[in-house]
Every structure is written in structure tokens, then in C-alpha cells.
Amino acid sequence: MRRCTKLFVAGVLFISLAAAQDAAGQSAMEEKHMDSSKIAPDGTAYVTRVVPVPTAISPEAQKMLARAESDAAVPQTLEERRTGTDKWQAGVGEQFRKLYPVNIASDTVAGVPVRVITPLSIAPDKRDRVLINLHGGGFNSDSGSLSETIPIAKLSGIKVIAVLYRLAPEHPFPAGLDDAVAVYKELLKTHKPEHIAIYGTSAGAILTAEVTVKLKQLNLPLPAATGIFSGSGDFSQSGDSIALFALNGFSGHLEPPQPGARDTEYFSASTDPKDPVLSPLYADLTGFPPTLFITSGRDLLLSGTTILHRAYLRAGVDAQLVVFEALPHAFWNNPALPESKEADQLMANFLTQHLAR
């Protein structure tokens, strides 16, 4: 019988901002919040840790980590989530577009709605290349079809097609997967597979791995490269980092993970959470294309990303892993961070290099 070990962390962050803090008050706060730990017989850990903000990250990132968020649960309907996410994505998309000018158009591919993000100019040797983006958003909203594509299109000089796949819970697995596969199959009619790459963040990173498994099952040629940016490959259980971090790292509401399957609104009760397409950790990964994994030190999917990366390595895949210090889940969606620019450049370089072969 497998033991389920949970880890509950109360993270206390101290950061020096522009205004000087009262030294005595700071000392009293540090004295009040001492490191402590209690380990139960079953291995469950109850700990408190004082975690200073690392100086190895940019001032902008340090300032972001100083934003306090209530630990209280804030219930939100699906409609409210989608409305808020759409509004945020439109706003952050405009911010990215000022940094990375591109053309944006709406279209359909194989009957699936897409956004087409095109560099203002494309070099002749890149006109037959294309990147497919599978956006994040917990499988139930769109939190990346602009923020994940605009910088990559500009930095790579390659057209990006963001697949607006069907969303759960109205359209559970494999609806979104089927949409992504349909777009890929259609692009194979006009592009060589070695000139196509697929990438995504969060839910889109998971979907990227799922699509690769499905393409292999269908005996279709695989893309030249994939990018799994803060993802996971196992819906049957939760990784350690989900017990440690909320969406914004230490700050914000955190539900202790429960034993068993997770994110069950994404797939029906009749689907085995260890289905190799749903959970690529249990799939045959041999022969997969070169893949770049990116995550960060306070990412709730840090465990999921690194566990899947190791599975790729065990299968002999050319898989690279980059872990950014201290930052929370999918931080590259924040255009104000120098680390976002660095991450986007890493993504663009990796995908471009493998499409050039």
C-alpha cells in the first residue's frame, strides 16, 4: 500500500522595499516566526519556515514576491473565472505587443478556432516553419493564447498558431486533445513535420505531452520539438509542490491536496487517471522529439514538471530542464519581469534551433 505524504508549509516572506523598515520591528517579527517542524508517524510534515526573498532574482521579481494575498478561499463561478481571465489576457496581451510588435488574426484550422500570431517580417528560410501553441488556463479558460505567443513569435521570427481548443467541463478530455491533433494533422498537409513544433504552459504544457503521445499512437510523424513549460504528466496523484505552493507561490489560498486523482473536472469518471494519453507519465515516451522543460522554485507544478522530465530522460529523449529561482507558476506571463524576457528567449531559441535542422 502506497503511503500518501502531505506537506503543509506556512511561508513567511521578508523583503526590503524602497522605504527603510523599522529594524526592531523586523527583528521582533523574525523572532516570533521561528523555523519549526513536526513530523507525524505517517510522514506528514507540519512545518513553519522563514523564507527570505533571494537576492539572486531581479528587483522586479523581488517586488512581485512581496505582494501579499489573502489565504482565505474566494469562491468563483466558472463564468466569473472566464470573464476575469479573458479581461486579463487581453490587457497583458497588449502589454506584450508593445514589447514585441506582431500581427494578430483570428482564423480556423480544421474547423478549430485559432489565433494566428505573425512576426512583422519573416525571413525566407522561416516561411515554411510554424509553431503550435496550446494555451494554459486550467483546461477551463484561456490564460495564454496571447501572452504565450506574442513574445515567442517575435523572438523566433516564426508564425505561431494558438489553438483555441474546446474547454472543460463542458468538453472534457479528449475534446481539447482532439482539437489540437486536428490542427496538427491539417498543418502536416502544408508543412514538413520537422518544420513544426508544439509548446504550451500549464494546462497547455500537459496537453503538449498528451498530443505527442496521441500522435505516436496514430503513427503520425512527430513534430521537430516540443516545449513543456510548467506542466505535469500524471492525473492519478499530486506532487509535493502542490502541497507547498499556491498559484502565486507562498502567498494566497492553498487547499491541502487530497489522495487520488486530481483535476477531475478535466476528464470523466469513466476515464482511468493513469490512461497513457491523459497521463503521459505512463506512456511509452521513446522516440519523442527534443523537449525543453521550464519551471520555477515556487511553482505549484514544480514536481509535475521535473517528474515528467525525468521520465523523458529515462526514455532516452533529448530533454532539457531549466528551473528559475523562487518565482511562482508560469511567471513568464508577467511582462514586467526580466526573468520573463529570459524565459521567452530560451523558449524561442530552443524551438527555432530544432526547426532549423
Side-chain angles (χ1 to χ4, degrees):
M1 178 177 180
R2 179 176 295 173
R3 175 176 295 166
C4 180
T5 302
K6 304 175 187 175
L7 183 61
F8 301 88
V9 173
V12 185
L13 307 183
F14 302 105
I15 182 169
S16 176
L17 304 176
Q21 296 180 331
D22 180 90
Q26 178 75 7
S27 177
M29 183 178 292
E30 290 179 344
E31 183 177 353
K32 180 180 178 181
H33 296 285
M34 299 296 291
D35 285 352
S36 66
S37 65
K38 176 183 177 182
I39 308 299
D42 69 349
T44 300
Y46 302 86
V47 302
T48 299
R49 291 289 184 257
V50 177
V51 185
V53 171
T55 57
I57 61 177
S58 68
E60 294 89 343
Q62 293 180 42
K63 185 176 180 180
M64 181 187 71
L65 292 183
R67 297 174 186 167
E69 185 176 333
S70 173
D71 290 336
V74 181
Q76 190 180 46
T77 67
L78 182 59
E79 182 180 2
E80 289 171 339
R81 171 173 166 75
R82 286 176 176 168
T83 299
T85 301
D86 289 346
K87 181 179 179 181
W88 165 76
Q89 187 64 195
V92 79
E94 285 303 312
Q95 294 177 52
F96 271 113
R97 201 171 183 181
K98 290 178 181 177
L99 296 171
Y100 305 101
V102 293
N103 295 316
I104 301 174
S106 297
D107 202 352
T108 60
V109 176
V112 178
V114 300
R115 295 187 196 274
V116 181
I117 297 85
T118 309
L120 300 184
S121 62
I122 301 178
D125 62 337
K126 293 183 177 181
R127 289 174 186 167
D128 59 350
R129 272 66 167 166
V130 64
L131 304 176
I132 298 174
N133 167 255
L134 306 175
H135 65 73
F139 298 104
N140 62 24
S141 60
D142 173 6
S143 66
S145 67
L146 294 173
S147 57
E148 297 175 29
T149 59
I150 292 171
I152 302 303
K154 173 63 176 178
L155 293 169
S156 68
I158 298 172
K159 178 173 66 177
V160 179
I161 294 179
V163 182
L164 304 180
Y165 53 87
R166 285 171 291 172
L167 300 173
E170 300 96 327
H171 305 286
F173 172 90
L177 169 72
D178 290 343
D179 288 346
V181 169
V183 170
Y184 181 79
K185 290 171 67 176
E186 186 66 22
L187 290 175
L188 281 178
K189 297 177 182 179
T190 54
H191 296 76
K192 297 178 180 178
E194 56 265 32
H195 292 167
I196 305 174
I198 305 174
Y199 73 96
T201 290
S202 193
I206 296 169
L207 194 54
T208 295
E210 292 179 345
V211 167
T212 314
V213 174
K214 188 64 178 179
L215 294 177
K216 182 177 178 179
Q217 287 187 351
L218 294 172
N219 292 317
L220 289 169
L222 300 182
T226 58
I228 295 176
F229 308 140
S230 184
S232 177
D234 188 0
F235 280 97
S236 71
Q237 57 190 329
S238 298
D240 197 59
S241 58
I242 289 180
L244 285 164
F245 306 115
L247 191 63
N248 293 314
F250 283 123
S251 183
H253 179 68
L254 179 63
E255 289 283 351
Q258 300 301 313
R262 63 181 185 85
D263 295 333
T264 52
E265 286 192 347
Y266 172 51
F267 57 96
S268 67
S270 62
T271 303
D272 181 356
K274 290 187 177 182
D275 178 288
V277 179
L278 175 70
S279 295
L281 186 66
Y282 304 101
D284 176 9
L285 307 176
T286 57
F288 272 28
T291 300
L292 175 64
F293 291 79
I294 297 181
T295 183
S296 44
R298 298 181 188 177
D299 180 5
L300 61 95
L301 291 183
L302 170 63
S303 294
T305 305
T306 56
I307 289 170
L308 187 60
H309 170 251
R310 286 166 46 221
Y312 273 53
L313 291 179
R314 288 194 299 271
V317 180
D318 177 5
Q320 300 179 28
L321 171 66
V322 177
V323 182
F324 279 78
E325 168 75 348
L327 295 170
H329 181 63
F331 66 85
W332 45 87
N333 279 313
N334 184 340
L337 301 182
E339 288 87 348
S340 295
K341 297 180 177 64
E342 183 180 350
D344 285 329
Q345 190 67 66
L346 286 171
M347 297 171 187
N349 287 350
F350 180 86
L351 297 172
T352 302
Q353 289 166 6
H354 286 282
L355 290 187
R357 294 181 177 181

